[in-house]
Amino acid sequence: NNFQETHRPQFHFSPPAKWMNDPNGMVYHNGEYHLFYQHYPDSTVWGPMHWGHAVSKDMIHWEHLPIALYPDSLGYIFSGSAVVDANNTSGLGTKENPPMVAIYTYHLAEGEKAGKIDYQTQGIAYSTDNGRTWEKYKQNPVLKNPGIKDFRDPKVSWHEPSKQWVMILAVADHVEFYGSKNLTSWTKLSEFGKTYGGHGGVWECPDLFPLTVDGKQKWVMLLSINPGGPNGGSATQYFIGNFDGKTFTSDNPAKTTLWVDHGTDNYAGVTWSNIPQADGRRLFMGWMSNWLYADDVPTDTWRSAMTLPRELSLKNTPQGIRLVSQPVKELSSIRAESADLKSQTINGEVDLTKSASFPVTLSELTVSLEDIDKSKDLGIELSNAQGQKLLIGYEPASKQFYIDRSKSGKIDFSKEFPKKQTAPRLSTGNTLTLQVFIDVASVEVFADNGETVMTSIFFPDANYDQVKLYSKEGAIQLTSGQLTRLKSIWD
Ligand code: FRU
């Protein structure tokens, strides 16, 4: 496989073949970033789940490895996390060679079919050879089902102040916390969320981690929800608050709903565990699709890709503390030639394609715009010779960003797909920066340095090879900008 099929992403992770959904078990160990993923190796639609596996030295270039976890008599292998058990608390490795431990959900399809509700339990597996081979724990499950239908997606981390492993688990309309000294026996600590945040759908794929803002530590909880996303279908919300080793308390009023990414295509994202303290970053990756149409997107041999890896941080804004996402610095390894855009007035349309001496099909576009309030509607248009196009825009009057893929190419596989996506702008300044990563079948838009993020997929009949800036009914200023060619990670 040379990853050259129609619509195949060139600098995003995608499986060699067949179905993929959530990223799982993201852990850094011995110089490698591990990425496992929900995978059905027999079909391009969702089915009995396995954990696919890949490793990378930079989160950008990936080596595909054999399937790590296969379904067994306890069920399919649903989403979960992985840790390095450095002190061998589990006894599944040795002090000298600590085990990697994966904590995942077992989904017993037979139980579901039989009309039972207790068919999701948590199991663990371990590896003592850098994740190359995995052994399931003999006494699985390690956490039985208490009689609740949706009971899944454990994310485990070491909580140093209380000297225990803490599991956050998605339980239908809330999360539950469990504590353990050894990863094998778990005790319930608390619950959070029944009356907090968005409840348009089932809660899935939680995460919990500390971040520092203005010298103060806060705890951030990520929580994927399907449906009920801001633009329909699946999306990931977050909460900011405190965690004391037992209970999470939110800093914001119960009704506050905050989104990691307002685009339609960033779901089930969580963060890497075991990032060395000297690095200290909180690194995130999500699944670049949406349950509204994930099974129907027009790709042949595989389905879906992951987002770019992103660094998460907190920022104090006039509206309160907010989560900011930025593309990781490791992306510099795929940056090739770059063209500076000349500063100019944009009134109508300006074609940027010729500013670059390279094709813009795989590229990064960064623009700084001023006087944006003078425009009615401004943005970036990507298009091909067939006239298919994607718009990434901003409407000053409503202070809303948008992505319009209604004419983007193949759209008729889902009636939800062409709907316009919007996102409120957080910043109020008259200067706007947009950083956009353009791959064969996706854009990731980081506005105002990652204060607002939108990720969206699309399927043109020919790759977009033209890029324009536009401003309708009023002139704005392009004060600086860069167009950079990005290299394929599969070359
Ligand atoms: C989220 C999800 C998880 C589940 C997995 C099954 O996309 O529904 O809750 O573990 O996918 O593939």
Side-chain angles (χ1 to χ4, degrees):
N1 185 328
N2 59 2
F3 292 85
Q4 291 303 312
E5 306 97 320
T6 305
H7 306 307
R8 179 69 94 164
Q10 291 301 300
F11 57 87
H12 286 84
F13 178 83
S14 59
K18 308 299 180 185
W19 172 266
M20 175 177 85
N21 57 292
D22 314 356
N24 293 152
M26 294 151 73
V27 60
Y28 181 82
H29 189 42
N30 290 339
E32 292 177 322
Y33 295 90
H34 289 262
L35 172 63
F36 301 85
Y37 53 91
Q38 288 287 279
H39 184 44
Y40 183 30
D42 297 330
S43 173
T44 51
V45 295
W46 191 90
M49 285 291 113
H50 301 53
W51 274 26
H53 190 197
V55 287
S56 172
K57 293 203 158 39
D58 62 1
M59 297 173 281
I60 310 293
H61 299 85
W62 293 95
E63 179 193 344
H64 292 282
L65 293 178
I67 289 173
L69 298 174
Y70 286 79
D72 60 50
S73 62
L74 295 176
Y76 302 167
I77 315 294
F78 269 22
S79 287
S81 51
V83 296
V84 174
D85 182 12
N87 292 322
N88 194 32
T89 61
S90 63
L92 296 170
T94 59
K95 270 242 153 88
E96 298 69 47
N97 185 24
M100 289 171 80
V101 179
I103 309 95
Y104 55 87
T105 297
Y106 272 120
H107 174 93
L108 192 60
E110 292 83 348
E112 184 180 23
K113 275 185 211 119
K116 299 203 167 134
I117 56 167
D118 59 354
Y119 50 85
Q120 292 185 342
T121 58
Q122 320 315 318
I124 65 175
Y126 56 99
S127 168
T128 49
D129 59 359
N130 292 320
R132 279 2 183 229
T133 59
W134 290 84
E135 214 50 66
K136 300 221 180 87
Y137 181 59
K138 300 273 176 309
Q139 281 100 56
N140 274 337
V142 294
L143 180 58
K144 296 204 176 81
N145 188 296
I148 303 174
K149 198 161 88 72
D150 297 294
F151 190 71
R152 60 176 177 268
D153 308 340
K155 173 82 181 213
V156 173
S157 56
W158 178 255
H159 187 254
E160 183 53 32
S162 61
K163 301 250 181 300
Q164 62 176 339
W165 297 102
V166 170
M167 175 196 294
I168 179 170
L169 193 72
V171 186
D173 62 350
H174 64 281
V175 293
E176 296 186 355
F177 295 96
Y178 291 81
S180 174
K181 295 280 177 205
N182 55 14
L183 294 166
T184 54
S185 116
W186 294 91
T187 314
K188 187 166 167 180
L189 301 171
S190 67
E191 297 186 359
F192 170 83
K194 278 196 176 116
T195 58
Y196 280 83
H199 281 277
V202 67
W203 283 25
E204 303 184 313
C205 300
D207 197 353
L208 177 75
F209 49 86
L211 281 176
T212 302
V213 58
D214 299 341
K216 277 228 270 315
Q217 191 183 69
K218 291 281 167 197
W219 285 81
V220 178
M221 185 188 298
L222 305 185
L223 207 281
S224 281
I225 170 174
N226 177 53
N231 284 292
S234 14
T236 303
Q237 54 177 328
Y238 67 92
F239 298 93
I240 297 173
N242 187 39
F243 181 72
D244 62 4
K246 190 167 193 288
T247 314
F248 179 86
T249 43
S250 171
D251 282 356
N252 292 309
K255 292 280 170 274
T256 314
T257 311
L258 304 168
W259 301 100
V260 173
D261 186 321
H262 286 260
T264 43
D265 301 289
N266 181 354
Y267 192 59
V270 288
T271 63
W272 260 283
S273 72
N274 206 41
I275 297 298
Q277 234 157 42
D279 179 326
R281 288 178 297 170
R282 187 46 62 173
L283 299 164
F284 167 98
M285 189 181 255
W287 173 45
M288 204 156 53
S289 195
N290 189 312
W291 283 116
L292 283 174
Y293 44 71
D295 274 318
D296 308 311
V297 295
T299 56
D300 256 3
T301 58
W302 87 101
R303 272 213 175 89
S304 81
M306 297 300 179
T307 67
L308 288 176
R310 302 170 184 186
E311 179 179 354
L312 302 182
S313 56
L314 291 178
K315 186 178 175 187
N316 238 319
T317 76
Q319 290 95 325
I321 299 173
R322 293 292 180 266
L323 191 71
V324 168
S325 302
Q326 270 157 333
V328 296
K329 62 177 192 292
E330 282 83 350
L331 282 159
S332 60
S333 72
I334 57 165
R335 289 191 175 109
E337 314 88 283
S338 189
D340 285 328
L341 303 176
K342 104 170 166 315
S343 61
Q344 56 190 296
T345 301
I346 314 285
N347 193 357
E349 247 181 33
V350 174
D351 193 345
L352 300 178
T353 317
K354 292 266 151 38
S355 317
S357 56
F358 47 84
V360 298
T361 300
L362 303 179
S363 60
E364 175 186 357
L365 172 63
T366 307
V367 290
S368 278
L369 305 170
E370 272 177 26
D371 291 343
I372 56 171
D373 280 4
K374 303 215 167 109
S375 172
K376 185 129 185 273
D377 178 10
L378 61 99
I380 297 163
E381 178 190 294
L382 305 174
S383 62
N384 61 19
Q386 278 103 305
Q388 297 174 334
K389 59 185 178 186
L390 180 94
L391 304 177
I392 300 158
Y394 178 66
E395 287 171 347
S398 61
K399 301 203 184 313
Q400 299 244 316
F401 294 104
Y402 65 85
I403 291 181
D404 182 345
R405 55 184 178 185
S406 61
K407 299 187 179 68
S408 61
K410 301 182 181 99
I411 56 166
D412 57 5
F413 54 89
S414 153
K415 67 173 190 338
E416 303 291 338
F417 191 80
K419 288 188 183 158
K420 190 171 174 176
Q421 307 160 39
T422 62
R425 186 177 185 218
L426 204 57
S427 170
T428 50
N430 222 348
T431 303
L432 166 65
T433 65
L434 295 172
Q435 182 184 19
V436 183
F437 288 84
I438 305 155
D439 200 344
V440 169
S442 64
V443 282
E444 279 148 290
V445 182
F446 300 87
D448 297 313
N449 299 309
E451 281 184 20
T452 307
V453 185
M454 293 183 88
T455 301
S456 190
I457 56 172
F458 48 79
F459 304 93
D461 290 309
N463 289 346
Y464 296 140
D465 55 5
Q466 293 160 31
V467 54
K468 290 175 187 159
L469 278 182
Y470 60 86
S471 171
K472 294 180 190 158
E473 293 176 44
I476 59 167
Q477 303 303 320
L478 168 64
T479 51
S480 67
Q482 270 195 327
L483 196 50
T484 305
R485 181 171 76 85
L486 299 179
K487 296 182 270 192
S488 170
I489 59 171
W490 307 120
D491 284 349

